Structures are given as structure tokens and as C-alpha cells.
């Protein structure tokens, strides 16, 4: 088994994928009941269960592009990343993309990538998208910048987001406000209900109503959670994130990437590996990003 830092890189990429695959069946629906989710996770843990793997969605499709672009270009290249997003989208358009981001892909293609940041800038009457579609694909940037100076991670995170999501100031401010609320919820421990999380942090497709929720899910699942049977802490994170309802695949993917990095790949139960599409690709990309670490 790969342990240590390499295992954390694998865990982060695998966690992002698994949150997406496992959360996708519940996306956008009303919150799944505790018994439905407990039996879902119990069934998947059974090595005898033979079912087709769960397909990844736009979250992973875009995460794979971000990772592959950083690997191929040995750094951030806006044009290459934008081209990869567009190629991926037109190859497999039915991965469940947000309803407006596809206009960006169309405009990038129509303008032959002349100004790769322009199409995102004109979304929503020039305000830009505040959807969580940039945050949901960010894990490879954190891995690529692991040993790099902080300013590099901020630069790549920001600029790679701007390829599709221009409304950054708006949601950054909101995220900071939400972090205070997150701390308040943390102080209330295991008594916080899913409705309280929904009302306080949000479970929606906007970045500011999902990124703090994903961080909260990771923190909350460090300890056992009432009504969540999964006793493996990595799975508990994904299980808990899904239990909040709303944008389940994306919140579970963001929480899963944090949990996977924290616990490491070896903590992800093997019985779950075969339930997620293309896990071996996520591991391969993690290994390549690990090898490319840039010293400070
Ligand atoms: P996006 O840029 O199309 O944004 C998603 C949605 O957010 C838009 O369609 C709008 O409804 C809304 N929105 C964003 N910015 C603004 C704004 N400035 N003013 C008004 N409304 C705005 O796509 P994205 O890549 O950010 O979307 C990511 C999400 O879509 C992820 O959850 C992903 O899994 C996917 N998705 C979500 C659902 C769901 O029901 N939760 C369903 C299918 C797909
Ligand atoms: Mg999705
Ligand atoms: Mg280059
Ligand atoms: Mg989603």
C-alpha cells in the first residue's frame, strides 16, 4: 500500500471521485431519509454485492481536465485547460453540467479560444457565474501546489476558476461570512440537524452555499454522527455530506477530497473501490501530481 504523502494525494483524488459517484444518485432531490442512506452504504460495503459502478458526473469530468492540464503543461496554462474542458464537454455532454456553464464551452469553441477568459465574463449579464462548478474541480490545484508558495496556489485556483466562473468577489465575501457561521455550528457539536445546516450554510449549487457546507461535513464527520451508521471516518464524511440533501454529488465530492487527503487512500474501504467509475485514473493522476511536487 502507498502510505504517507503519496497516499494522501491518492486519497484526495479518490475522495473527490467517490463523493461525486456516490452522491450523484441523490443530487437535487429532497433529503434522503436516514434509513435509505444507511442501507445504501451498508449494501455498497457488502463484498458480495454485484452492481454496475456509479458513473461520475461533471464534477469529476472537470476535475480530470484540471489535473491532466497541470500534468501535461507542468503548470497552469489557461488555453490548454480551457481546451480540455471544451473537448471533454463535447465528447460527453451528458455528464450533468450546470445549465449555464455550457454556454461558456460553446463560446470558447466558437471564438477559437482567442480570449479564454472572455466567455465566462459575460455570463449572467456580465456578473459571472457564482455556481460551485469552479470549487468542485479544485482538488488537483491544491495537490499540484502542495510544495509551492501560497501565492501560487491562490493564483492558479483563481485563474483556473475564472475560465468558467467570473463572479469571484461576490462569493469570496460570502464564503468568509459563512465561515463564521460554520464556527458557530461546530460549537454545537453533534446536536446540529440537517435542517440547521441547510438553513445556516446551504446545500445549493452556488459556491457560497456549498463550499462551507463541504468543509463543515469534513469537520463534523471527524467524530461519529447521530443517525449515520458508517463507522469508517472517510465514508462517514461522504455519507454525512449526502445526508444534507441538495447538491449532494458536489458537496460530497468537495468534502471527500478533503477527507481523502486527511485520512489517506489506505483508509478508504476496498469494498467501495469498485463502485466508482474510473478510480484507477484518479489514482494515476494523483501519482503523477505527487511526482511533480515543486519544492518551495
Ligand atoms: P453554472 O455556471 O451553470 O451555475 C449553476 C447555476 O447557478 C446556474 O444555472 C444558475 O441557476 C445559478 N447561477 C450561477 N451564477 C448566477 C448568477 N450570477 N445569477 C443567477 N444565477 C446564477 O454551472 P456550475 O458548473 O457552476 O454548476 C455546478 C453544479 O451543476 C454542480 O452541482 C453540478 O453537479 C451541476 N448540477 C447540479 C444539479 C443540482 O440539482 N444540484 C443538477 C445538475 C447539475
Ligand atoms: Mg455533478
Ligand atoms: Mg505550455
Ligand atoms: Mg452537483
Amino acid at each position: 500500500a502507498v502510505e504517507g504523502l503519496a497516499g494522501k494525494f491518492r486519497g484526495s483524488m479518490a475522495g473527490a471521485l467517490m463523493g461525486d459517484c456516490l452522491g450523484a444518485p441523490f443530487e437535487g432531490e429532497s433529503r434522503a431519509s436516514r434509513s435509505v442512506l444507511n442501507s445504501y452504504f451498508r449494501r455498497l460495503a457488502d463484498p458480495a454485492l454485484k452492481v454496475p459502478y456509479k458513473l461520475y458526473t461533471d464534477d469529476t469530468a472537470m476535475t480530470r481536465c484540471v489535473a491532466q492540464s497541470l500534468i501535461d503543461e507542468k503548470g497552469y496554462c489557461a488555453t490548454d485547460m480551457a481546451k480540455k474542458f471544451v473537448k471533454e464537454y463535447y465528447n460527453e455532454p451528458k455528464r450533468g453540467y450546470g445549465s449555464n456553464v455550457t454556454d461558456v464551452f460553446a463560446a470558447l469553441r466558437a471564438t477559437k479560444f482567442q480570449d479564454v477568459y472572455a466567455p465566462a465574463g459575460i455570463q449572467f449579464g456580465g456578473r459571472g457565474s457564482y455556481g460551485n462548478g469552479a470549487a468542485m474541480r479544485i482538488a488537483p490545484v491544491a495537490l499540484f501546489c502542495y510544495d509551492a508558495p501560497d501565492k501560487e496556489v491562490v493564483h492558479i485556483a483563481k485563474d483556473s476558476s475564472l475560465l468558467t466562473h467570473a463572479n469571484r468577489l461576490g462569493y469570496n465575501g460570502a464564503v468568509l461570512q459563512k465561515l463564521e457561521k460554520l464556527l458557530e455550528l461546530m460549537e454545537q457539536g453533534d446536536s446540529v440537524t440537517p435542517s440547521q445546516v441547510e438553513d445556516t450554510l446551504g446545500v445549493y449549487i452556488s459556491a457560497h452555499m456549498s463550499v462551507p457546507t463541504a468543509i463543515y461535513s469534513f469537520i463534523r464527520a471527524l467524530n461519529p454522527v447521530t443517525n449515520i451508521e458508517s463507522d469508517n471516518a472517510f465514508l462517514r464524511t461522504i455519507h454525512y455530506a449526502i445526508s444534507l440533501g441538495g447538491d449532494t454529488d458536489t458537496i460530497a465530492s468537495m468534502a471527500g477530497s478533503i477527507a481523502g487527503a486527511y485520512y489517506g487512500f489506505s483508509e478508504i474501504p476496498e469494498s467501495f473501490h469498485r463502485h466508482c467509475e474510473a478510480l484507477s485514473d484518479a489514482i494515476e493522476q494523483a501519482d503523477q501530481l505527487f511526482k511533480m511536487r515543486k519544492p518551495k
Side-chain angles (χ1 to χ4, degrees):
V2 177
E3 301 294 344
L5 189 58
K8 287 175 171 289
F9 273 58
R10 285 185 173 194
S12 183
M13 289 296 286
L17 172 73
M18 292 177 77
D20 180 19
C21 291
L22 299 176
F26 303 96
E27 188 187 34
E29 305 204 351
S30 57
R31 214 177 282 141
S33 75
R34 94 174 69 145
S35 62
V36 163
L37 273 188
N38 279 329
S39 73
Y40 177 69
F41 277 86
R42 219 183 297 129
R43 269 165 50 81
L44 293 176
D46 176 359
L49 178 73
K50 290 199 174 42
V51 286
Y53 53 60
K54 304 203 178 303
L55 298 175
Y56 65 73
T57 75
D58 57 325
D59 306 60
T60 299
M62 298 199 85
T63 300
R64 288 159 60 95
C65 292
V66 171
Q68 203 54 49
S69 184
L70 293 170
I71 292 165
D72 290 350
E73 297 294 319
K74 299 180 178 59
Y76 176 61
C77 170
T79 305
D80 181 76
M81 198 175 283
K83 284 183 174 170
K84 282 184 163 64
F85 289 155
V86 169
K87 189 173 173 206
E88 169 63 34
Y89 171 66
Y90 284 101
N91 277 344
E92 296 190 341
K94 297 218 166 89
R95 288 281 186 182
Y97 286 88
S99 42
N100 289 76
V101 71
T102 56
D103 297 344
V104 176
F105 302 142
L108 283 167
R109 189 166 77 159
T111 58
K112 300 193 165 62
F113 303 91
Q114 264 170 359
D115 178 355
V116 285
Y117 294 108
I122 57 176
Q123 290 289 89
F124 298 97
R127 284 169 292 137
S129 174
Y130 53 60
N132 55 18
M136 74 185 184
R137 64 180 190 235
I138 208 68
V141 173
L143 299 181
F144 178 76
C145 295
Y146 181 79
D147 276 330
D150 288 349
K151 68 177 194 314
E152 188 166 356
V153 71
V154 173
H155 148 69
I156 300 181
K158 179 180 171 194
D159 287 5
S160 67
S161 295
L162 284 172
L163 290 170
T164 49
H165 290 71
N167 194 309
R168 283 188 50 90
L169 283 179
Y171 74 65
N172 277 345
V175 166
L176 290 178
Q177 280 180 352
K178 292 265 173 180
L179 289 178
E180 254 172 52
K181 299 199 167 165
L182 192 159
L183 292 176
E184 284 167 29
L185 283 187
M186 276 169 60
E187 280 167 15
Q188 296 173 51
D190 194 42
S191 70
V192 177
T193 64
S195 329
Q196 273 177 282
V197 178
E198 178 175 356
D199 295 345
T200 314
L201 300 178
V203 293
Y204 306 113
I205 51 176
S206 58
H208 62 288
M209 294 210 196
S210 60
V211 173
T213 317
I215 297 168
Y216 175 76
S217 297
F218 163 68
I219 294 167
R220 177 75 181 269
L222 287 165
N223 297 306
V225 181
T226 305
N227 295 331
I228 303 287
E229 275 179 17
S230 298
D231 52 10
N232 170 278
F234 170 82
L235 287 180
R236 183 163 63 227
T237 308
I238 288 179
H239 187 155
Y240 178 71
I242 296 171
S243 79
L244 299 172
D247 194 359
T248 47
D249 66 334
T250 304
I251 296 173
S253 178
M254 295 188 292
S257 72
I258 301 172
Y262 183 75
Y263 299 113
F265 184 74
S266 59
E267 289 298 309
I268 301 176
E270 236 178 278
S271 54
F272 279 75
H273 292 187
R274 67 209 162 90
H275 292 308
C276 299
E277 180 184 6
L279 178 65
S280 57
D281 290 352
I283 292 173
E284 171 64 25
Q285 288 187 323
D287 288 353
Q288 293 198 46
L289 290 166
F290 178 71
K291 280 190 225 135
M292 291 172 71
R293 271 167 13 264
K294 286 189 195 169
K296 277 192 213 255

